[in-house]
Structure formats: structure tokens, C-alpha cells
Amino acid sequence: MPRTSTFCFSTRIGLSLAMLLLCSATTFAQKVRYVTTTGTTPATSATTSWATSTTDLQGAINASGPGDQVWVAVGVYKPSSSTARTASFSMKDGVAIYGGFSGSETSLNQRPANNPVTGPGGASQPSIGTPTGSTLSGDIGVVGNNSDNSYHVITNVPLLTTSAVLDGFVITGGNANGLNNNGYGGGVFNYVPGPGVPFSPLFRNCLFQDNQAALGGGMMNLALNNGDAGPQLINCAFRDNTATDTGGAMANLGQAGDTNAQLTNCTFQDNTANYAGAVYNAGFFSGSYTGTQLTNCSFERNQATVSGGAMYNYGNNYGISNPQLTNCSFMNNKAASDGGAMYNDGRNSGQSLLRLINCSLQGNTATSPSGALYNYSNVGLSRADLTNCIVWNNPVLNQGGIVIANYSLFDASSFISGSTNISTATSPFTSTATATLTSCSQALNAGSPLSQTVLTAPYSETAVPTTDLAGNPRIVDSRVDIGAVEFQVVYPARLYVSISQTAVPGDGQSWATAYPDLQQALNYACPINLTEIWVASGAYKPTTTTGPASRSISFAMKNGVSIYGGFFGTETMLSQRPPVNPITAEGRPGSPSSSTLSGDIGTVGNTNDNSYHVVSNPQGLTTGTPDRATLLDGFVITGGNANGGSTNNYGGGVFNNGRGGAGLACNPAFRNCLIQGNTAASYGGGMYNDGQQGGSASPELTNCLIQHNMAGSIGGGMYNDGVGGTASPSLLNCIFQNNSAVSLGGGMHNDGRSAGQAYPQLANCAFLNNTATAYGGAIANDSGSPVLTNCSLQGNTANQGGAIYNSNSFPLVTNSIFWNNGASNAIVNFVNSVTVARYCLVDAATTVSGLTNLTATSSPFRSATSVALLASSAAINAGNPGSVTVANPPYSETSLPTIDLFGNPRIAFGRVDIGAVELADIFTVKNGLWSDATVWNVNRVPVAGERVRLRHTLQVGDVFGVGKIVYESTGRAVFTAGGRLQLQP
């Protein structure tokens, strides 16, 4: 641990308090005094111009009064012409001392730029270093031999407020290697021996360089006997300062007193000490407190030969060390023993309470595994709180203390547990020597959502400065970044794609500058804010290249990004997009999207050179939330030909890869998509969901039409592969139509072998005219148990199980219709299988058990290619009487969606119908002619088989077929010559 010393009150500093107060009461006329290395005027004379300047800087300071300024030209100034090592400069309350002038200025704003601070990433800013600077030097003896230098270049005692200013100087050559007080603060010694006297001088734009001391090589702030030392430093740099004991750059020591130094925009580089290569904060004894505040400060390449490469915080004997660092960085600091960046030490009932807010620690090293922080407690309290911080490539070691982190980012070796913390294997920084974030860092917009900027200190986890370490705005987007430096680019939330946009190089920022290629938008450099991609009409292909290698190139969805198709290319709101719904309803044609994703990348019309998968989705996709959904909405997906061997034999249209995911599932959402004309040599012509080997592939599909897809083996429309994993998609209002498989599952195959799970949930879905040569024309299950609610299966065929084939499977079917799916084997249960059916309607060739099921002798549907119900169907109002509609999933036997497959209310007349479609009344909205489409709520004339509700007076002048007529109290039909209504099933 750092050694402690007994402090004495030297004769040089022992000026009485009464005399100080007397001196401060003296008033002077406000004026400017000029100092140069060539001046000839005594300091006590009228040094009121550069021509009448003096060489006696201290004399000019002493002669000045409150409000006066001292202007100092470039050059080297020493505190005395004598060689007495006790000689020092001293600041004066109310006097502002400015350096760095060229010697001709007439106003302060003409002074050359003076800022010694080097910005993050090494970007040089104007410096006051030689030869342009004004230098205060302690090299009063033999030049270059520091053994006879001043102990302190500057010595300051109480009765200094922020009106005592030192601005624009190099402070160098102090060597505090003497006894007692002469061992502290080689550059500046700020000493407050007792209470009641203010001490807060202001240092601005100053460089503390090549100073030496036992404690506090560059600056020592010492408070005794309830004194309070609180200097303020702005835009100051500490470089190459040394302490033989503690605090190479600065020591803040409260010994039965308080130190509260405030540092803003300061840098500490290449300083060294045994303990605390840069800054030492210590509270000794009861009543001692050190509350150093550092804001926008950086520590680089500082070194401790023992512990605390950059900083050492020490609370001892009931004393408290309580530093707070905000927007600070620690890069490549080193300790020979512990705490490469920081050592936090609470001993003997003392407390060391460290708080880091938006700080970055990278590449700091120590012999022990404590490159970032060594947090140690011995009969005391040592606590470190980190908020919005990055700890990268330097671990934290906690020995008996407490370390708490929130909204912070770590690598695996540094990780501190917490639900809001992030662990990543990718560096968030652009290099190993900067705190600047990469464009795709996980730290972007990941800090505490409660953090907001405030104009002035004090700062906290929820009140951060308006600027970051680099001087740029602290919060650029809606949420603060993690780390000391805010990323300054605001990435767009939406990108635009239009194949017809060729006028300008596309940047995707508007329709006028849209990307002409969807793949460009999907490959956007950093999708950190991206939530939407809007795609105009046209055919988009995953690559413009051809050949065998190009066949492996596919579109891939992005997690948290919704991709919308079907736009004209002028819309400003999603609601302006043309209707996109591929489902054809009675009286409403389907409206497939005008945006097509095509795998026909080679010779047009020749599938042999097509993409293996049109869409190939990786692990790590979740359906997300409404504002960050992983969604493909409004596309035609066609032309995939998975005939390439291995997994390139699966999923011609869509391949969702969740295999062996171990938490990285592939569960995107698809809505209003038409998946048609895709093939696979083996599995899943339209879609293959791969959740094998402990993985998960369970997408959500809504309003999707899957038709005319083919599999050379299994799963013409969809294959759900949950072998040893999970493949349980959710499907709402979807149709499988005219898909085929050579072996099993013309429409869908569900495979849950090897203790896997293949439990798809289907609500309001239809299977029409799907075929399998062997088993399961509509659905085949091998250890897979789907749940079908309000589904309709018609006209599907297979050698066995035209509707459903089960092997070791237990599907649950409710409120569903099986019709014309084979002469005698529509449902086949093979090898330990049972189909549980409730409130279902079946034909005579379909065998299901249960008192709630119905067998019909005539079709409930209007045609062999439709699942719309006849008005006379036995399925009407025959579903589970306990069924109700719910606004949101999950759905079940009794909790149904609010709409049916055709978008009409799911429960129309008190009890749900059986099947995917609810029989919905067509009703009048005004008086008029029966033949007038605008009279009807569906904007068309009713057709045969539909139920009509008359609420108005209509004139019937021709022959019209209806399924049923219901007259309300205000409704009637008036027949003219030739008018007739025929009840037709």
C-alpha cells in the first residue's frame, strides 16, 4: 500500500490567516499587466503595454488586484533569480494569468490557440508546448540538472477562488525531493492547512510536464485539519511526471480534511509512480474525504511499479475516498502488481467508493488478472459501481469488495453479471488505442435508458454531460451509447429499395435515392437503428452473378428488421401501400404482392441454374416486438431449386436454419407472402424449418399462400424438422394448395424424432388438393403432433392418409372439416398414433371418434376448390360452444383469432362455425337495385349459396341465386317484371 507521511506547516507557507484576509481586501484598478522575457520595466511600475512589459512575472501578479489580468508572452519564466529551491510562483485571488501570447495582441481573443489536450484516437489539437508556449520552469540552478530545481514551480495557499486563474502555461521542472512539504507537488503544491478559507483556483489550458515529487509529481492537493482543497482544472494535460512514491501526475490527499478537485477535459499520459501512476485519491482518518470529480478525461500509458497503473483510490482509518469519473477512458496503462488501470482500496474501517459512468477501459495490464480494476477490502469497504461502461481486454479482480455493473459491455474475461450487461466477443472499439466505437458496436444505443444530458454538474447515472470525451454531443440518437465516446452517425430506421431507381447512386435514404437491389439494403453497413426496409414492385434476385457458386447466394432476413414489399414507390406511410393479401376469398380476389423474390438467377425459365434457396435465414432471428419485428411482409417467393446436395437439397423457397442453435434460434415471421413454384430434391419445396440437434426453427406465418411447390422426397409445401430439437411453427390464416411430395407430406411434414418437438399450431388454415405418392397428402407426422383449430382439409390425396398420416404422433384437431381426402383412408394412424378430433365435420370416408363430431353426406363447401361454407352447411354454428375470440395469441381450442381465413369476424352468430371460414352474411347498406354492387357491404352482388340479410328496400328485376335470405324489420324485396330470387345451395 502507499506510504503515508507526517505533514508539517513550513515557514514558507505559514502566512497568517489574518494577513491573507488583509491582502485580499486591498483593491486595485482593473488593468492588464504585460510580461515578456525581454521586458525592462519593474513589475511595480506601469507595465500597461507590451512595450512597457516586465520580466518579473511574480511581481506583476503581486501588483495586480481583483479583476486584473496578467498577459505573458511565450518564453521561459522562473520563480526567482536566486537558486533557493524554496522559490515558487504563487497565484492570487481575483487575478487571471494568461500565457501563450506572441507579444503583439491587443485583445485576449487574438491570443493563439492554447490547448495541450490530445483528443481520443490521437487527433492532435493546438498545443502550447515549446516553442510556442509560455513556460513556468523550476530549473533555477544548473540547467538540465534537476537536483537543484525548485521544490514546487507553483505554491498556492488558501484564499483562492475560481477568480484566481492560470491559463495557457507549461509547468515543468519542479522537483519536490525534499523533506515534509518539500516532498509534495513538484509542479504545483496546493496546500490548505485548516478550515474556513476558500480554496478553488482554476487551471485552464495548462501542460504539467516533467515534474517530480515523492507524492504528486505534477500536482499535490493537500487538506489538513478540516481544510478543503478543491482546485478546478479544464483542458489540462499531465505528461511524463514522476512520483517516487504515490501519484505520478496528481495526488489528492485529505488528512483530517477534504480534497475535491474537479477535472474536465484533461489527459494523463506517460506518468509514473510506485503507486498510482497518474492520480492518487486518499482519505485518511475520520473526517477525511476525497471526492475527486473527473469528466471527459483520458488516461494513457501511465505506469505504476507496484499497483494502480493510472489511479489508486484509498480509504483508510475511517477516511473516505469517493472519486467519480464520467466520460473517461483508460487505455494501455500498466501496473507491475495489481490494477493496471485502477486500484480501489478500503482498509481499517475506511471506505473507497469508486463510481464510473460512461467510461471505457481497454488494454490495461497487471501481473494479477486485474488489468482494468483491482477492488480490495481489508476491514473496510471497497465498492466500485459501473454504469454505461466498457471493460474490454482487461479483467476485473474483486477481493473482498463489491463490484456492481449496469448497462455495461464486457468481453468474456471481464464480464460482470447483471441483466442489463452485454458480453461480446467482438471489440467495440475502432483500435486498441482509442475509445472511439465501431459503426456496428453493440455499445451503440445500449446505455441506461434513464440517462439524460444536463447542462452543468453534478453528474450521475441519469444526468450525464452534454458532450462526450471527444467533445461531441453525448446523446446523438434516442439513447446514450455505452462508453466514453458517443458514435456520431445516426443510422436510418428505414431503407428504400426500388429496382426502377437508376438515376443516381442509391443510398437507400428515400425513394428518390433508393437502392436498386434488395441485397444492398440487407448488407447495410450497420443496421443498429434499422427497423424497416420498404421494397417497390419488381423482381429482385439475390445475386447478379451466375454459375455454380452463385447458386448458394440467397436473401437473408435481419433480426429486428421488417421487410415490406408491394409499394408503388411513392408512399410515405405503410397504410398507403396497396392491399397485399394473396388469400382469395369468396367475392374478393387475392392480391399477391407486386414485389417478387426470385431464384431464377441464370437462364430465365431454366431451373437447373437457379438459387438453391431464395431466402436462407441464419440463426439468431426472433419474431421480435411490434417495433423491432423480424418480418417478411408482402412478397412472392419463387424459383428456388434446392438440388445441390446436403442442406442445399432442402428448402427451395425458404430455408430457416436453427440447427444446433443452443439459444440462437431461427424464428422469423412471414406475413402476406405467396410461396409458389419452388422445388427441393429432398425436403421442403416451399419452406424447410431446420431445428435439429437441439436447435429451434419455429417461424410464424400469417395470411400466407403456399402453393405449387414440390419436394422430391418429403414435405412439398413445408418440412418442419425437429429431430432432436424444435420445429413448431405457428400458422394463422394460411393456405396450402396444390403442393406435392414424392414420398410423405404433400402439404406439410412434421418430424419430431429423437425426442424432438414438431408441434405446429395451425388456426384458420386450409389444405386444398395437395398430393403425396405414399403418405399424408395434406399432412404427414413422424413423431410430430400438430394442433389444428378451425382448419379445412379438402381434396388432398395419398396412397395412405389423404388428409393426415401419423406415425408415433398425436395430432389434436378441433372445429375442423375433412372432406374428399380419399375413398377410405383420409386419416391413417400407424404405430402408436391417435388423432384426437373434437367438434369436427367429416365425410363418410373419414373415421374420427367422439360424440361432438359430425358426419355429413353432402359437401359443406361451395366448390371443390373453395373452403367457403354453403349457407346450408351442417358446419354452421356447430363448433366448440366454449370458443371465444381473443385479441392476441396464443390461440387454443377455446381462444380463437378475431377473424377467419377470409378476414371476416370469426364468430358471426354467437357460436363458431366449423372450418377455416365463418359463414358471413352479406347485407344491404342502402336502398336501391339488387343488381347495384354499391348496395351491398361487400361491394358486389351476392352469388348462389351465400346468406343475404336485407336491412333496406331493394328492387329485384332479374333472376338471382342466394343460399338463404334473412329479412330484418326494415328490409324487403320488391319484385318487378321478370324478377325472381332462387334459393340455391
Side-chain angles (χ1 to χ4, degrees):
M1 60 172 282
R3 71 174 177 85
T4 60
S5 304
T6 303
F7 304 99
C8 71
F9 198 13
S10 70
T11 303
R12 171 79 175 99
I13 301 172
L15 190 62
S16 72
L17 177 60
M19 185 173 295
L20 286 172
L21 293 173
L22 178 61
C23 292
S24 68
T26 306
T27 58
F28 301 90
Q30 294 184 354
K31 61 181 65 176
V32 176
R33 287 180 168 77
Y34 298 83
V35 180
T36 67
T37 58
T38 58
T40 58
T41 305
T44 55
S45 302
T47 58
T48 56
S49 68
W50 292 115
T52 59
S53 64
T54 180
T55 59
D56 184 359
L57 172 57
Q58 188 62 54
I61 296 170
N62 294 341
S64 300
D68 286 354
Q69 297 179 358
V70 178
W71 291 11
V72 183
V74 297
V76 177
Y77 300 86
K78 300 181 180 182
S80 174
S81 59
S82 73
T83 58
R85 299 191 65 198
T86 55
S88 299
F89 291 108
S90 294
M91 297 167 65
K92 187 175 182 180
D93 198 47
V95 178
I97 311 163
Y98 294 98
F101 290 93
S102 63
S104 60
E105 296 85 352
T106 58
S107 63
L108 186 59
N109 60 14
Q110 294 174 337
R111 180 177 65 154
N114 285 291
N115 187 343
V117 174
T118 300
S124 297
Q125 298 173 349
S127 173
I128 60 170
T130 57
T132 60
S134 297
T135 298
L136 307 184
S137 173
D139 195 0
I140 59 176
V142 178
V143 174
N145 180 357
N146 72 353
S147 64
D148 58 2
N149 285 19
S150 294
Y151 293 125
H152 326 288
V153 179
I154 299 173
T155 300
N156 288 323
V157 292
L159 197 59
L160 294 180
T161 64
T162 52
S163 65
V165 178
L166 190 74
D167 184 325
F169 287 89
V170 176
I171 300 166
T172 187
N175 183 15
N177 64 347
L179 299 176
N180 301 319
N181 289 351
N182 289 331
Y184 317 128
V188 176
F189 183 31
N190 293 319
Y191 181 52
V192 182
V197 181
F199 188 84
S200 55
L202 174 60
F203 298 84
R204 191 168 53 210
N205 302 318
C206 289
L207 170 61
F208 298 80
Q209 182 168 297
D210 293 318
N211 299 284
Q212 182 175 321
L215 273 77
M219 178 180 287
M220 174 72 171
N221 300 307
L222 174 61
L224 303 176
N225 305 320
N226 297 316
D228 189 345
Q232 298 187 24
L233 292 89
I234 300 174
N235 290 350
C236 291
F238 290 79
R239 299 176 192 157
D240 300 300
N241 301 284
T242 302
T244 56
D245 190 344
T246 308
M250 176 183 290
N252 301 300
L253 181 60
Q255 181 134 334
D258 298 340
T259 60
N260 292 285
Q262 298 181 40
L263 293 87
T264 305
N265 299 339
C266 295
T267 62
F268 296 83
Q269 298 172 324
D270 302 301
N271 302 285
T272 61
N274 282 349
Y275 298 88
V279 177
Y280 178 55
N281 301 303
F284 283 97
F285 310 131
S286 178
S288 299
Y289 177 83
T290 296
T292 309
Q293 305 285 306
L294 296 101
T295 305
N296 297 351
C297 296
S298 64
F299 295 79
E300 301 174 5
R301 303 181 304 277
N302 301 285
Q303 185 170 346
T305 57
V306 184
S307 296
M311 182 176 289
Y312 198 119
N313 307 307
Y314 187 42
N316 185 45
N317 293 328
Y318 297 95
I320 299 174
S321 177
N322 184 203
Q324 176 175 305
L325 290 80
T326 307
N327 293 349
C328 294
S329 72
F330 291 77
M331 303 285 173
N332 302 310
N333 302 284
K334 182 178 181 180
S337 182
D338 303 309
M342 284 179 283
Y343 194 115
N344 202 38
D345 189 354
R347 301 194 183 200
N348 304 320
S349 300
Q351 299 182 49
S352 187
L353 310 175
L354 171 65
R355 177 175 291 179
L356 302 175
I357 302 168
N358 278 103
C359 292
S360 298
L361 296 88
Q362 177 186 203
N364 304 286
T365 59
T367 301
S368 70
S370 57
L373 171 66
Y374 188 90
N375 194 54
Y376 176 76
S377 179
N378 182 10
V379 195
L381 174 61
S382 179
R383 174 170 173 152
D385 287 88
L386 292 76
T387 303
N388 303 344
C389 292
I390 298 175
V391 180
W392 182 261
N393 192 28
N394 39 204
V396 173
L397 181 59
N398 184 39
Q399 296 285 84
I402 300 171
V403 178
I404 298 175
N406 292 290
Y407 297 101
S408 295
L409 183 147
F410 304 87
D411 61 11
S413 68
S414 310
F415 187 71
I416 298 173
S417 61
S419 60
T420 60
N421 297 327
I422 300 170
S423 178
T424 177
T426 304
S427 174
F429 301 116
T430 56
S431 78
T432 58
T434 179
T436 303
L437 298 176
T438 64
S439 61
C440 288
S441 170
Q442 287 184 264
L444 271 61
N445 293 336
S448 171
L450 300 179
S451 296
Q452 300 295 327
T453 58
V454 295
L455 293 176
T456 58
Y459 303 119
S460 67
E461 292 85 349
T462 57
V464 297
T466 57
T467 59
D468 66 1
L469 177 61
N472 295 317
R474 175 65 269 189
I475 299 179
V476 171
D477 209 345
S478 58
R479 183 170 170 181
V480 69
D481 295 345
I482 297 176
V485 177
E486 190 85 2
F487 193 74
Q488 295 300 304
V489 177
V490 179
Y491 285 111
R494 180 189 300 153
L495 294 176
Y496 298 83
V497 177
S498 176
I499 199 169
S500 63
Q501 198 292 107
T502 58
V504 296
D507 61 7
Q509 307 295 302
S510 67
W511 285 122
T513 60
Y515 288 131
D517 179 19
L518 174 59
Q519 201 67 275
Q520 286 181 272
L522 293 171
N523 293 336
Y524 191 65
C526 184
I528 188 70
N529 288 340
L530 188 64
T531 59
E532 294 181 352
I533 299 175
W534 287 13
V535 183
S537 61
Y540 299 86
K541 300 180 181 182
T543 180
T544 58
T545 62
T546 59
S550 297
R551 298 191 67 195
S552 299
I553 301 173
S554 307
F555 294 113
M557 297 168 66
K558 298 293 184 182
N559 198 46
V561 177
S562 297
I563 309 168
Y564 295 99
F567 291 93
F568 288 123
T570 58
E571 297 86 347
T572 58
M573 295 184 296
L574 185 60
S575 60
Q576 296 172 337
R577 180 178 66 160
V580 177
N581 185 348
I583 304 298
T584 298
E586 292 297 315
R588 174 180 59 77
S591 49
S593 175
S594 59
S595 298
T596 298
L597 306 183
S598 172
D600 196 359
I601 60 174
T603 302
V604 175
N606 180 359
T607 62
N608 291 326
D609 56 4
N610 284 21
S611 297
Y612 295 128
H613 325 286
V614 180
V615 178
S616 181
N617 286 322
Q619 296 175 347
L621 300 186
T622 63
T623 51
T625 60
D627 59 336
R628 296 288 294 189
T630 307
L631 172 67
L632 193 71
D633 182 327
F635 287 90
V636 176
I637 301 171
T638 188
N641 182 17
N643 66 344
S646 186
T647 56
N648 286 333
N649 268 4
Y650 312 153
V654 179
F655 185 105
N656 292 314
N657 180 19
R659 179 180 296 202
L664 295 177
C666 185
N667 300 331
F670 300 82
R671 189 167 61 203
N672 301 318
C673 287
L674 170 58
I675 303 173
Q676 73 173 8
N678 303 283
T679 60
S682 295
Y683 307 146
M687 178 179 289
Y688 179 78
N689 299 312
D690 188 354
Q692 295 184 70
Q693 302 173 10
S696 175
S698 301
E700 293 182 2
L701 287 82
T702 305
N703 279 13
C704 291
L705 174 58
I706 302 172
Q707 67 178 7
H708 301 295
N709 302 284
M710 189 274 290
S713 182
I714 303 174
M718 177 182 291
Y719 190 116
N720 300 310
D721 195 342
V723 175
T726 301
S728 301
S730 299
L731 296 97
L732 173 65
N733 298 350
C734 294
I735 296 178
F736 289 77
Q737 180 172 277
N738 297 314
N739 302 286
S740 63
V742 172
S743 184
L744 292 87
M748 174 186 290
H749 181 73
N750 303 304
D751 191 346
R753 291 171 296 158
S754 300
Q757 298 183 33
Y759 304 146
Q761 306 284 315
L762 296 90
N764 298 344
C765 292
F767 289 80
L768 286 168
N769 303 314
N770 302 283
T771 62
T773 303
Y775 310 111
I779 301 172
N781 301 306
D782 189 351
S783 300
S785 301
V787 177
L788 286 75
T789 306
N790 280 100
C791 293
S792 297
L793 295 84
Q794 179 181 207
N796 305 284
T797 59
N799 184 44
Q800 295 189 50
I804 299 177
Y805 179 85
N806 298 310
S807 176
N808 293 299
S809 302
F810 305 91
L812 172 61
V813 186
T814 306
N815 299 346
S816 296
I817 298 175
F818 295 83
W819 194 264
N820 192 29
N821 297 294
S824 61
N825 59 356
I827 298 177
V828 172
N829 295 312
F830 178 74
V831 184
N832 191 32
S833 297
V834 175
T835 298
V836 178
R838 300 166 183 162
Y839 297 98
C840 291
L841 186 148
V842 302
D843 57 11
T846 306
T847 302
V848 293
S849 61
L851 297 177
T852 60
N853 299 311
L854 303 175
T855 300
T857 57
S858 61
S859 175
F861 301 120
R862 293 184 188 165
S863 74
T865 58
S866 172
V867 291
L869 296 177
L870 290 168
S872 59
S873 172
I876 296 171
N877 291 339
N880 188 336
S883 298
V884 296
T885 59
V886 295
N888 299 298
Y891 305 120
S892 68
E893 297 175 78
T894 55
S895 297
L896 307 179
T898 57
I899 60 173
D900 68 1
L901 176 62
F902 289 172
N904 297 315
R906 177 65 270 190
I907 299 178
F909 294 100
R911 181 172 173 178
V912 68
D913 295 347
I914 298 176
V917 177
E918 195 83 2
L919 182 65
D921 285 356
I922 296 178
F923 56 86
T924 60
V925 295
K926 63 180 180 179
N927 298 330
L929 298 176
W930 187 283
S931 59
D932 182 0
T934 64
V935 164
W936 304 97
N937 66 309
V938 291
N939 201 35
R940 63 173 176 81
V941 178
V943 297
E946 292 184 322
R947 186 166 59 185
V948 172
R949 186 174 293 273
L950 295 185
R951 298 176 175 175
H952 300 81
T953 299
L954 295 191
Q955 293 184 10
V956 183
D958 204 340
V959 178
F960 298 95
V962 295
K964 184 177 182 179
I965 301 176
V966 177
Y967 291 92
E968 295 189 2
S969 60
T970 56
R972 63 181 182 141
V974 177
F975 296 90
T976 60
R980 187 168 75 250
L981 296 176
Q982 294 181 341
L983 295 181
Q984 297 175 336

